[in-house]
Amino acid sequence: MPINPRATVTTARILSNRKVGAYHHIALEAGEVGKLAKPGNFIAIAVGGEYSAMPLHRAFAIYRAKADGVHASTVEIIVAAHGKGSEWLTKQSEGSQLRITGPLGTSFPLPAEPVNVAIIGGGYGSAPLFDLADHLKSRGCRVDAVIGASTSSKIFAPLDGKRTVNSVTVTTEDASAGVQGRVTDVLEELIERQKIDLIYSCGPMAMLKAVDEIAQRKQIPHLVSVEEAMACGIGICMTCVLPIRDANGTIKMSRTCIEGPVIDSECVVWSGGIPEGTWGAP
Amino acid sequence: MPINPRATVTTARILSNRKVGAYHHIALEAGEVGKLAKPGNFIAIAVGGEYSAMPLHRAFAIYRAKADGVHASTVEIIVAAHGKGSEWLTKQSEGSQLRITGPLGTSFPLPAEPVNVAIIGGGYGSAPLFDLADHLKSRGCRVDAVIGASTSSKIFAPLDGKRTVNSVTVTTEDASAGVQGRVTDVLEELIERQKIDLIYSCGPMAMLKAVDEIAQRKQIPHLVSVEEAMACGIGICMTCVLPIRDANGTIKMSRTCIEGPVIDSECVVWSGGIPEGTWGAP
Amino acid sequence: MSVVDLSTELAYAKFENPIFTASGCASSGKELSQFFPLTELGAMVTKSIMLRPRSGRATPRMAETPSGMLNSIGLQGPGIDHFLEDDLPWLLETGARAVVSIAGESVDEYGALARRLRGVRGIAAIEVNISCPNVENRGMVFACDPTSARAVIETVRINIGGEFPIIAKLSPDVTDICAIAGEVINAGADGLALINTLLGMVIDPKTLKPLLGGKTGGLSGPAIRPVAVRAIYQVHSRFPKVPILGMGGVASGSDALQLIAAGASAVSVGTASFGDPLAPVRIKSELASLLIHHGFARLRDAIGVAHG
Amino acid sequence: MSVVDLSTELAYAKFENPIFTASGCASSGKELSQFFPLTELGAMVTKSIMLRPRSGRATPRMAETPSGMLNSIGLQGPGIDHFLEDDLPWLLETGARAVVSIAGESVDEYGALARRLRGVRGIAAIEVNISCPNVENRGMVFACDPTSARAVIETVRINIGGEFPIIAKLSPDVTDICAIAGEVINAGADGLALINTLLGMVIDPKTLKPLLGGKTGGLSGPAIRPVAVRAIYQVHSRFPKVPILGMGGVASGSDALQLIAAGASAVSVGTASFGDPLAPVRIKSELASLLIHHGFARLRDAIGVAHG
Ligand SMILES: Cc1cc2nc3c(=O)[nH]c(=O)nc-3n(C[C@H](O)[C@H](O)[C@H](O)COP(=O)(O)OP(=O)(O)OC[C@H]3O[C@@H](n4cnc5c(N)ncnc54)[C@H](O)[C@@H]3O)c2cc1C
Ligand SMILES: Cc1cc2nc3c(=O)[nH]c(=O)nc-3n(C[C@H](O)[C@H](O)[C@H](O)COP(=O)(O)OP(=O)(O)OC[C@H]3O[C@@H](n4cnc5c(N)ncnc54)[C@H](O)[C@@H]3O)c2cc1C
Ligand SMILES: Cc1cc2nc3c(=O)[nH]c(=O)nc-3n(C[C@H](O)[C@H](O)[C@H](O)COP(=O)(O)O)c2cc1C
Ligand SMILES: Cc1cc2nc3c(=O)[nH]c(=O)nc-3n(C[C@H](O)[C@H](O)[C@H](O)COP(=O)(O)O)c2cc1C
Ligand code: FES
Ligand code: FES
């Protein structure tokens, strides 16, 4: 299979940039990118403008992509100001231009049958899950969402997103919204109640790991979207690697920008580092 | 004498930024800077914003400074987009903030008597001369201006500036405005006609040198505002030096940011480089 | 494409244009081929390949720094067998020119790699990476020691035969880069690649510990360009006949021209591709315009013009 | 000012806070004193002074580079006599702590400078700049040769007596900075200053010739910070008891803390002052806040925390 099969480099124009809780919702006029994107893909953005001291790409999950409308296509992202690059991004005004590369990475595989699905999002990790939910619903799946964060402003759960799914459970660690606690505190009960067949999750690694413990215990297939520090986003720098088990059971340090971000949790070696027996390990 | 005696570091707000021919006229709300500035002083500006790859100051002559008005003070500058930093500056919009340091450098000494003065400006070099003309006029001097550039768009001669002086002669090398030629082509005639007692000039080094040849020949005192590549603008880096003769006749590599930009042309060693006999020369 | 003759050569290898990828910054080509035909490049320089598969270093492997980045990949790769079976044939099939970069942990390993490459058809040149600071060989870097640098190139020379030009890639982390250059030239290098990354470190502002899994990493990107220009200038003035593949912070045609004027016959683009996959082709066309602007009919006439 | 104890020491010299100017980036103090009282600084490090007046190099002397700059000042200065008669008394009168930087063209010159400084009152420490790449001494830099580095420090040690701690300032342009550090420590250095500039070059895009009058120049600014952190980390892990004055691209409190965590007992701010005269005081207050944020009651507890 070719690598980055549908990706192009595009000058995207910011259509809108507005604050949503702790995040910024940025909509881009994005050439062909929005037409070719699948749920779970991400885009890489060059930051800092012409006089930038920041040479590297920033990765953002596609929240929504649309081919229709007045523009060639639109791509929406949800940005948390983390370091300098994402902070710069949140300050860009309508009309300004960004160099984006995408769509990149793997997408969420969809079940062939109409099954009961749980989507679990941590922080801005919920962003790509609503589009996924849309696709799942149109295949007849029941979709229950669990959205967690440390505090309410970091819950990303837009109204139309909430309408798409059958139920939304919000958890916050400080009890500022929904149930006090973590997504894992409500997940088991949800699995039982809705007879969940399949779990998709996206959020911090620690959350993915905790969700996976439950999924493993309950023997439910689990697809995760991982987040590793990325320099290029297109597979040429080898910085974004994670130990991943391949079809033959061999653990390799795999690039999460092209073999991920969406990975079957069965293949993820959660211990991190370079596990013993990794292909080519010292 | 203290160094940088009236300088402060100020967060200045851009009041307006508009294109004037090949230049940008930028007005700043500038704290105390405009109150303390004298004709000939300059300001140093940090460029590129928060994520800048450009660590060094940029120097701009003060075109006009005002203490009155609604703002603490205003400072106006005329910017030619030369490299990346000045280009960035020309793109900054009204309301954005700049870190400026000033007023810096020497100012134009004013004659005690009402004499006949010629001001000679090359390109944006005319910017500081109109404010000077104002001061000269209020001391009863007659002021004739010669403003030259390669082409008309690079002639900076604002209406109110023109009104201040008794006459303006424009020269352009491509004949797109005024007399075809260089400022030196019209200067001798002007000196004769108006019985010029004193010359002030500001522009490229080659122009200053050519003007000085005439001034020397005619034995007319000549004050020049020089322009050397500057890193700091405040005397701490030693990059902006020129060979300057001091009161004892000793040639020293002097910092033009603090011993200049305005220098008596008698002290300037026009040959450049490190002339033989320079203090501490190898 | 343009009226300027961009063709160049590194020893007896000829290239249609001087813009190459940089080893380790373009993997083996498949990733970038989605963005532009690899035949647009003067050559694809492949990621340094070792004898055996290698997992590389622990993550995090990167840190962005002002106008630069640190990497501590640790030469992760599939090993020479997989490379010769899979990556290289794919690359050659695209019609791209291939410069194969090799790296070893011992002089013998370089020799073994050279033997594996001997007789392989279609390779334009071999870049011998003797300067990677990431190799866990008691922290020692071949390129930092004249004797080992020489030994590696001698071994490669003997084992590879005369089929491909050997380009020795040097580290700037040395007291006297001309001395190392002299050694590898004497040992049989046909050309030099200048420069590899500078050894650097970032402390994580949160944990106050070294941020990278490998603690130190290699500094690349525009930040190091002045060091690259200096190294190329120094080496070219000492060894004007030895062709140089220049690299280090090239992000525009003007940057490439700086390296060429300093003495580079061709230029690799590394870190710039991480923020713009089209960087190599953009740089090539910017360079062509600049050459025309400066009145050069041929790229070759611009090589080393900063001297004398 | 803050609830954190910022005091620090370099050998037996004590300072109220760890933020110093960098030699050659603050002249002799008068220029910055308009912007803040020099007593706000841990110490004013003066521009390296030589035995005789010196005109320095031809212009242009500077080039901005991505997140950095090159300078080729060539140690312009008035010479030690003028310095002792005029600059130093002025500086001491402000109440500022003074670290005097010296530079010579021969071992003897360093010795002569040390004799001139012997017995001068009020100096907090001597920084011996053995690493300036600009000195026109056949291109050779003392700090790049273990033998000459050692000889300089030995001479200074003998001639200066035991009045001031001697801080040897090293160049990063060496294969093994720990080896040079070891030499100067054995020769009697009480502390180390790390790092001086990296040798670099810029080609003028207009003329395609070296832009600087001196052709090469010293690279400073944020671009080199990862190299500084690495050098400090390496030297501190090898010589944990030898105090380090760190420098190289510090432009914020967080940058200063990186160098301190790597092993610096104090930090010089150089190039950052060229774009912001208030940089040293801003960095000091940012550092104080960060130390509090990380739960340090005393700066000293943060020195070297990146290790182990
Ligand atoms: C597949 C994927 C999808 C993502 N989706 C989103 C999203 O929808 N919304 C959102 O706010 N953030 C998302 N992130 C995280 C986002 O990429 C980082 O927060 C961002 O790159 C940090 O850049 P910075 O300049 O703010 O921080 P800096 O620390 O200055 O970044 C420096 C460098 O490190 C890399 N880096 C640092 N942290 C991360 C990280 N967590 N992930 C990847 N690279 C990192 C950056 O790419 C950059 O090259 C996603 C990351 C990945 C890998
Ligand atoms: C006293 C003085 C007054 C000036 N007044 C004006 C003015 O009124 N209008 C105007 O348009 N320009 C003026 N200049 C020139 C202006 O400072 C430069 O054009 C500008 O600094 C170039 O910056 P850059 O980022 O565009 O170019 P770059 O080449 O990217 O600059 C890189 C570095 O070199 C320095 N530099 C490069 N060229 C010059 C130069 N000619 N003079 C000083 N520093 C330079 C910059 O300060 C910067 O640190 C003045 C210069 C001086 C010294
Ligand atoms: C992520 C990364 C990986 C690299 N891997 C290699 C490598 O495998 N072999 C090698 O010789 N150089 C390697 N380098 C160095 C580059 O080829 C190049 O010499 C250096 O990055 C300077 O060029 P640049 O500034 O354009 O990136 C690597 C650089 C980076 C950033
Ligand atoms: C313009 C300039 C002049 C310098 N002069 C000296 C000097 O005289 N003596 C010295 O030891 N270092 C000198 N340096 C080096 C600095 O002291 C410092 O080591 C280096 O610039 C790194 O710090 P920075 O990145 O904060 O500038 C000079 C640096 C610059 C930029
Ligand atoms: S981010 Fe570069 S390979 Fe994945
Ligand atoms: S510009 Fe720094 S001393 Fe004049």
Side-chain angles (χ1 to χ4, degrees):
Chain A
M1 217 202 52
I3 298 175
N4 304 314
R6 286 155 296 117
T8 53
V9 181
T10 306
T11 302
R13 198 164 55 86
I14 296 186
L15 296 170
S16 68
N17 177 357
R18 53 191 182 76
K19 217 165 166 345
V20 180
Y23 308 122
H24 279 249
H25 173 179
I26 299 180
L28 301 169
E29 179 185 344
E32 301 296 299
V33 181
K35 291 187 187 160
L36 302 169
K38 296 184 185 170
N41 285 162
F42 69 97
I43 58 173
I45 306 184
V47 292
E50 249 179 284
Y51 315 96
S52 179
M54 300 180 281
L56 306 176
H57 267 158
R58 268 55 176 176
F60 294 93
I62 295 173
Y63 158 48
R64 275 197 304 217
K66 278 189 232 144
D68 50 5
V70 273
H71 310 294
S73 83
T74 58
V75 165
E76 294 164 67
I77 57 176
I78 303 303
V79 178
H82 164 82
K84 290 188 174 176
S86 49
E87 191 186 275
W88 175 86
L89 206 51
T90 60
K91 290 183 191 164
Q92 297 313 294
S93 48
E94 207 183 295
S96 52
Q97 298 195 321
L98 299 174
R99 185 173 63 239
I100 70 168
T101 301
L104 296 169
T106 52
S107 57
F108 292 112
L110 299 175
E113 309 283 307
V115 294
N116 294 334
V117 175
I119 58 174
I120 321 286
Y124 55 75
S126 56
L129 297 177
F130 294 106
D131 208 18
L132 167 67
D134 232 13
H135 283 76
L136 291 166
K137 292 290 286 187
S138 64
R139 295 194 168 208
C141 295
R142 177 187 165 89
V143 182
D144 293 284
V146 183
I147 312 292
S150 56
T151 187
S152 64
S153 66
K154 294 189 175 168
I155 293 290
F156 179 71
L159 250 191
D160 47 0
K162 282 194 213 166
R163 282 201 201 104
T164 309
V165 296
N166 294 74
S167 82
V168 182
T169 311
V170 166
T171 67
T172 56
E173 289 175 44
D174 67 357
S176 53
V179 181
Q180 194 275 323
R182 301 184 166 188
V183 292
T184 41
D185 294 333
V186 299
L187 181 58
E188 284 194 66
E189 193 273 334
L190 176 74
I191 290 172
E192 297 300 330
R193 181 159 36 91
Q194 303 300 352
K195 310 211 176 344
I196 297 297
D197 300 302
L198 178 59
I199 300 175
Y200 295 89
S201 65
C202 180
M205 285 304 265
M207 183 201 92
L208 301 183
K209 190 176 170 180
V211 169
D212 200 53
E213 270 162 28
I214 296 175
Q216 296 254 352
R217 187 147 25 87
K218 303 268 179 189
Q219 299 198 307
I220 299 172
H222 178 203
L223 294 152
V224 294
S225 177
V226 299
E227 181 181 316
E228 262 299 320
M230 290 184 176
C232 75
I234 59 168
I236 59 176
C237 74
M238 306 296 280
T239 62
C240 63
V241 297
L242 267 184
I244 305 283
R245 221 174 263 107
D246 70 11
N248 311 319
T250 314
I251 300 171
K252 291 186 179 164
M253 296 303 282
S254 300
R255 288 164 289 183
T256 58
C257 65
I258 55 176
E259 301 190 28
V262 179
I263 305 175
D264 189 325
S265 78
E266 274 204 343
C267 304
V268 179
V269 183
W270 293 104
S271 64
I274 299 178
E276 233 176 288
T278 298
W279 201 54
Chain B
M1 217 202 54
I3 299 174
N4 304 315
R6 287 157 294 118
T8 53
V9 181
T10 305
T11 302
R13 198 164 54 86
I14 297 186
L15 296 170
S16 68
N17 176 358
R18 53 191 183 76
K19 217 164 167 343
V20 181
Y23 308 122
H24 280 248
H25 173 179
I26 298 179
L28 301 169
E29 178 184 346
E32 301 296 300
V33 181
K35 290 185 188 162
L36 302 168
K38 296 181 185 173
N41 284 162
F42 70 95
I43 59 173
I45 306 184
V47 293
E50 249 177 285
Y51 316 95
S52 180
M54 299 181 281
L56 306 176
H57 267 158
R58 267 58 176 175
F60 293 93
I62 295 174
Y63 157 47
R64 275 194 307 217
K66 278 188 232 147
D68 49 5
V70 274
H71 310 294
S73 84
T74 58
V75 165
E76 294 164 67
I77 57 175
I78 304 302
V79 178
H82 165 81
K84 290 190 176 174
S86 50
E87 191 186 276
W88 176 86
L89 207 51
T90 61
K91 291 184 191 163
Q92 297 313 294
S93 48
E94 207 183 294
S96 52
Q97 299 196 320
L98 299 174
R99 185 172 63 238
I100 69 169
T101 301
L104 295 169
T106 52
S107 58
F108 292 112
L110 299 174
E113 309 284 305
V115 294
N116 294 333
V117 174
I119 57 173
I120 322 287
Y124 56 74
S126 57
L129 298 176
F130 294 105
D131 208 17
L132 167 66
D134 232 14
H135 282 76
L136 290 166
K137 293 289 286 185
S138 64
R139 297 196 167 207
C141 295
R142 179 189 164 90
V143 182
D144 294 286
V146 183
I147 311 293
S150 56
T151 188
S152 63
S153 66
K154 294 190 176 168
I155 293 290
F156 179 71
L159 249 191
D160 47 1
K162 284 193 211 165
R163 283 200 200 106
T164 307
V165 295
N166 295 74
S167 82
V168 181
T169 311
V170 166
T171 66
T172 54
E173 290 175 44
D174 68 356
S176 52
V179 181
Q180 194 273 325
R182 300 185 168 185
V183 291
T184 42
D185 295 331
V186 300
L187 182 57
E188 284 192 69
E189 194 273 330
L190 177 74
I191 291 172
E192 298 300 330
R193 181 160 36 91
Q194 301 300 351
K195 309 213 177 341
I196 296 297
D197 301 303
L198 178 58
I199 301 175
Y200 294 90
S201 64
C202 181
M205 285 303 265
M207 183 202 92
L208 302 182
K209 189 176 172 180
V211 170
D212 200 53
E213 271 162 27
I214 296 174
Q216 296 254 351
R217 188 147 23 88
K218 304 271 178 188
Q219 299 199 307
I220 299 172
H222 178 204
L223 293 152
V224 295
S225 177
V226 299
E227 181 181 315
E228 262 298 321
M230 290 184 177
C232 75
I234 58 169
I236 58 176
C237 75
M238 307 296 281
T239 62
C240 63
V241 297
L242 267 184
I244 305 284
R245 219 174 264 107
D246 71 11
N248 310 319
T250 313
I251 300 170
K252 290 185 180 166
M253 296 303 282
S254 300
R255 288 165 288 183
T256 59
C257 65
I258 57 176
E259 301 189 28
V262 179
I263 304 174
D264 188 325
S265 79
E266 272 205 342
C267 304
V268 179
V269 182
W270 293 105
S271 64
I274 299 179
E276 235 175 285
T278 299
W279 199 55
Chain C
M1 197 210 94
S2 71
V3 300
V4 61
D5 173 6
L6 287 178
S7 69
T8 190
E9 47 194 48
L10 293 172
Y12 47 92
K14 304 201 187 317
F15 302 91
E16 266 178 39
N17 76 70
I19 304 301
F20 296 14
T21 55
S23 180
C25 301
S27 204
S28 59
K30 286 181 190 143
E31 299 77 3
L32 283 178
S33 70
Q34 165 68 19
F35 299 99
F36 58 84
L38 300 181
T39 48
E40 286 277 321
L41 296 166
M44 231 319 285
V45 182
T46 62
K47 173 139 191 69
S48 295
I49 197 80
M50 302 190 75
L51 206 51
R52 279 170 291 275
R54 194 177 160 101
S55 63
R57 288 198 186 232
T59 54
R61 288 180 172 186
M62 60 146 294
E64 197 177 51
T65 67
S67 299
M69 73 174 285
L70 289 182
N71 85 80
S72 66
I73 310 300
L75 291 174
Q76 175 174 347
I80 188 78
D81 291 343
H82 182 275
F83 176 78
L84 290 178
E85 276 157 35
D86 183 343
D87 297 338
L88 185 63
W90 180 90
L91 182 56
L92 294 176
E93 195 148 301
T94 65
R97 300 279 284 154
V99 172
V100 174
S101 171
I102 58 171
E105 287 187 281
S106 64
V107 173
D108 284 352
E109 207 175 313
Y110 281 99
L113 282 160
R115 281 192 299 277
R116 294 299 316 274
L117 288 168
R118 185 168 194 149
V120 173
R121 307 196 62 161
I123 297 174
I126 302 292
E127 189 178 89
V128 187
N129 174 8
I130 56 169
S131 48
C132 184
N134 288 337
V135 184
E136 288 163 335
N137 172 21
R138 291 165 295 131
M140 261 286 293
V141 172
F142 292 98
C144 290
D145 172 31
T147 319
S148 1
R150 190 188 178 101
V152 169
I153 300 302
E154 267 167 2
T155 303
V156 172
R157 176 83 286 161
I158 292 165
N159 284 284
I160 209 146
E163 292 155 272
F164 324 118
I166 297 173
I167 299 163
K169 184 163 179 182
L170 305 188
S171 164
D173 288 329
V174 294
T175 309
D176 181 357
I177 198 160
C178 287
I180 308 281
E183 291 291 337
V184 298
I185 292 167
N186 284 337
D190 303 294
L192 301 169
L194 298 169
I195 57 174
N196 214 312
T197 54
L198 277 73
L199 195 63
M201 183 187 267
V202 162
I203 305 291
D204 186 334
K206 287 197 218 75
T207 62
L208 300 184
K209 301 285 173 204
L211 190 147
L212 297 178
K215 289 193 179 177
T216 59
L219 182 63
S220 64
I224 70 166
R225 195 193 311 134
V227 176
V229 172
R230 183 266 297 172
I232 293 165
Y233 188 93
Q234 286 180 327
V235 171
H236 185 72
S237 53
R238 183 86 150 262
F239 306 102
K241 289 189 182 140
V242 179
I244 294 172
L245 171 57
M247 64 207 62
V250 172
S252 72
S254 169
D255 301 341
L257 186 52
Q258 272 202 54
L259 271 64
I260 290 164
S265 295
V267 169
S268 280
V269 175
T271 304
S273 297
F274 299 169
D276 180 3
L278 299 176
V281 284
R282 175 178 48 79
I283 291 167
K284 183 175 74 166
S285 82
E286 289 170 357
L287 174 65
S289 310
L290 280 172
L291 288 168
I292 293 167
H293 167 83
H294 281 283
F296 292 106
R298 312 185 317 160
L299 165 85
R300 287 169 209 219
D301 301 332
I303 298 168
V305 285
H307 298 259
Chain D
M1 196 209 100
S2 70
V3 300
V4 61
D5 173 6
L6 287 177
S7 70
T8 190
E9 47 193 49
L10 294 171
Y12 48 93
K14 304 203 185 317
F15 303 90
E16 267 178 38
N17 75 68
I19 303 300
F20 295 15
T21 56
S23 180
C25 302
S27 204
S28 58
K30 288 181 188 139
E31 299 77 4
L32 284 178
S33 70
Q34 165 67 21
F35 298 100
F36 58 84
L38 299 181
T39 48
E40 287 276 320
L41 295 166
M44 234 313 290
V45 183
T46 62
K47 173 142 191 66
S48 296
I49 197 80
M50 302 191 74
L51 207 49
R52 279 171 291 276
R54 195 179 159 99
S55 63
R57 290 198 185 231
T59 54
R61 289 180 171 185
M62 59 145 294
E64 197 178 52
T65 67
S67 299
M69 73 175 285
L70 289 182
N71 86 81
S72 64
I73 309 302
L75 291 174
Q76 175 173 347
I80 187 78
D81 291 343
H82 183 276
F83 177 78
L84 290 178
E85 275 156 36
D86 184 343
D87 298 338
L88 184 64
W90 180 91
L91 181 57
L92 294 176
E93 196 148 298
T94 66
R97 301 280 283 157
V99 172
V100 174
S101 171
I102 57 170
E105 289 188 279
S106 64
V107 173
D108 283 352
E109 208 175 312
Y110 281 99
L113 282 160
R115 281 191 299 280
R116 295 298 317 274
L117 288 167
R118 185 169 193 147
V120 173
R121 306 194 62 161
I123 298 174
I126 303 293
E127 189 178 89
V128 188
N129 174 8
I130 55 168
S131 48
C132 184
N134 288 336
V135 182
E136 289 163 334
N137 172 21
R138 290 166 297 131
M140 261 285 293
V141 172
F142 292 97
C144 291
D145 173 30
T147 318
S148 4
R150 191 188 176 100
V152 169
I153 299 303
E154 265 167 4
T155 302
V156 173
R157 177 81 286 164
I158 291 164
N159 284 284
I160 209 146
E163 290 154 272
F164 324 116
I166 297 173
I167 299 164
K169 184 163 178 181
L170 305 188
S171 164
D173 288 328
V174 294
T175 309
D176 181 357
I177 199 160
C178 288
I180 308 282
E183 291 291 336
V184 299
I185 292 166
N186 284 338
D190 303 294
L192 301 169
L194 300 169
I195 58 175
N196 215 312
T197 54
L198 278 73
L199 195 63
M201 184 187 267
V202 162
I203 305 291
D204 185 335
K206 286 197 219 76
T207 63
L208 300 184
K209 302 284 174 207
L211 191 147
L212 298 178
K215 289 192 180 178
T216 59
L219 182 63
S220 64
I224 70 166
R225 195 193 311 136
V227 176
V229 172
R230 182 266 297 172
I232 294 165
Y233 188 93
Q234 285 180 327
V235 171
H236 185 73
S237 53
R238 183 86 148 263
F239 307 102
K241 287 187 182 141
V242 179
I244 294 172
L245 172 57
M247 63 207 63
V250 172
S252 71
S254 168
D255 301 342
L257 186 53
Q258 271 201 55
L259 272 64
I260 290 164
S265 295
V267 170
S268 280
V269 175
T271 304
S273 297
F274 298 169
D276 181 3
L278 299 176
V281 284
R282 175 177 49 77
I283 291 167
K284 183 175 73 166
S285 83
E286 288 170 358
L287 174 65
S289 310
L290 280 172
L291 287 169
I292 293 167
H293 167 82
H294 281 283
F296 292 107
R298 314 185 317 160
L299 165 84
R300 288 168 208 221
D301 301 331
I303 298 168
V305 284
H307 297 259

